[in-house]
Amino acid sequence: MSDDAKAMSEWITAVSRELGLEGQVDSDKSVDAVLDLTSDVAHGVSRPAAPVTAFLIGVAAGRADDPQVAAADFSQKISALAKGWDADTERGVTSNDQSQRG
């Protein structure tokens, strides 16, 4: 395990403990999912949008009946949105007009 991976693992354990999430999150899967998501958003939208997007997904997932499943579903959906963000058709649709989204 690299020094970065060890530091990340220790950090996630400490944060999970502080937030009362021990044993409730699969840290390996979660870390990979968040890193993939934030990479997609950083490259497809903007770097500052990446942590904010992760926060918004966390809030939305926390409101779901099964937060882990919701977080995975939301991450996949938002990654796809970020990957297509530069497409004129995606950006040209008003956020509240879901009937026109692809």
Side-chain angles (χ1 to χ4, degrees):
M1 182 182 287
S2 71
D3 288 343
D4 285 343
K6 185 177 180 200
M8 174 81 83
S9 178
E10 290 172 356
W11 174 251
I12 290 167
T13 299
V15 171
S16 294
R17 189 178 317 118
E18 285 294 316
L19 298 176
L21 297 174
E22 285 182 295
Q24 296 181 38
V25 177
D26 179 349
S27 61
D28 290 337
K29 263 185 165 176
S30 298
V31 168
D32 290 344
V34 169
L35 292 175
D36 289 345
L37 166 73
T38 55
S39 175
D40 291 342
V41 173
H43 292 104
V45 182
S46 73
R47 282 185 176 268
V52 175
T53 301
F55 169 76
L56 293 172
I57 288 174
V59 171
R63 299 169 79 188
D65 290 335
D66 189 336
Q68 285 193 53
V69 170
D73 290 347
F74 295 157
S75 293
Q76 187 175 32
K77 186 178 197 174
I78 299 306
S79 283
L81 178 65
K83 287 176 183 177
W85 189 246
D86 284 333
D88 291 339
T89 55
E90 187 63 41
R91 289 183 120 177
V93 175
T94 351
S95 61
N96 63 354
D97 189 358
Q98 297 298 315
S99 67
Q100 293 188 28
R101 288 192 171 259

